[in-house]
């Protein structure tokens, strides 16, 4: 499906917005997909998921966000990264989930700035 989609938008102004959570939920590796189609990426969605397919607060699931961030830095990606939160924790206490996501993103940012 990705090949059909990417072939269809080749040589057009259209781009790709990978959602790490939905890619993983579909049984694929988000980092591999991002690497394969990086030239079409216009915006990135981060959403974490555990190995059972349940949405989690950032950093509490199985998705390799440090690897994704490092790769995006390697290719000098300068677009937006948006955190999307659909975890059980967010439904119960959205302020705490947003705060925890912010702390996790800050750790990723600090790590990236050190490298």
């Amino acid at each position: 499906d990705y090949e059909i989609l990417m072939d269809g938008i080749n040589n057009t102004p259209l781009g790709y917005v990978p959602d790490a959570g939905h890619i993983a939920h579909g049984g694929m590796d988000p980092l591999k997909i991002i690497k394969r189609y990086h030239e079409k990426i216009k915006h990135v969605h981060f959403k974490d998921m555990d190995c059972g397919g349940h949405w989690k607060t950032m950093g509490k699931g199985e998705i390799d966000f440090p690897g994704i961030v490092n790769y995006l830095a390697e290719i000098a990606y300068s677009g937006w990264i948006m955190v999307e939160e659909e975890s059980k924790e967010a439904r119960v206490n959205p302020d705490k989930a947003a705060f925890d996501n912010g702390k996790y993103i800050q750790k990723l940012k600090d790590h990236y700035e050190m490298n």
Side-chain angles (χ1 to χ4, degrees):
D1 291 347
Y2 275 102
E3 289 177 20
I4 293 169
L5 174 67
M6 295 305 165
D7 286 347
I9 65 172
N10 223 6
N11 300 316
T12 73
L14 298 175
Y16 174 49
V17 180
D19 183 316
H22 286 286
I23 292 169
H25 204 268
M28 295 169 283
D29 180 338
L31 180 55
K32 286 182 183 177
I33 296 295
I34 289 169
K35 283 181 175 183
R36 184 167 182 184
Y37 300 110
H38 72 273
E39 61 278 339
K40 288 290 186 181
I41 293 175
K42 303 293 183 196
H43 179 98
V44 180
H45 280 215
F46 280 1
K47 178 168 44 181
D48 213 349
M49 182 187 81
D50 67 16
C51 59
H54 302 99
W55 303 124
K56 292 293 180 184
T57 300
M58 292 289 303
K60 301 206 174 168
E62 301 295 321
I63 296 176
D64 180 14
F65 292 108
I68 293 170
V69 169
N70 283 335
Y71 178 72
L72 292 173
E74 284 176 23
I75 64 168
Y77 174 75
S78 62
W80 286 83
I81 298 174
M82 183 179 81
V83 175
E84 187 176 4
E85 175 61 81
E86 294 186 35
S87 71
K88 179 180 176 182
E89 295 86 351
R91 289 189 300 273
V92 173
N93 190 345
D95 290 340
K96 181 174 181 339
F99 181 77
D100 291 346
N101 284 333
K103 288 191 318 189
Y104 182 76
I105 295 299
Q106 185 64 50
K107 284 183 193 176
L108 287 176
K109 180 181 176 289
D110 292 344
H111 177 75
Y112 164 72
E113 289 177 349
M114 290 171 47
N115 290 330

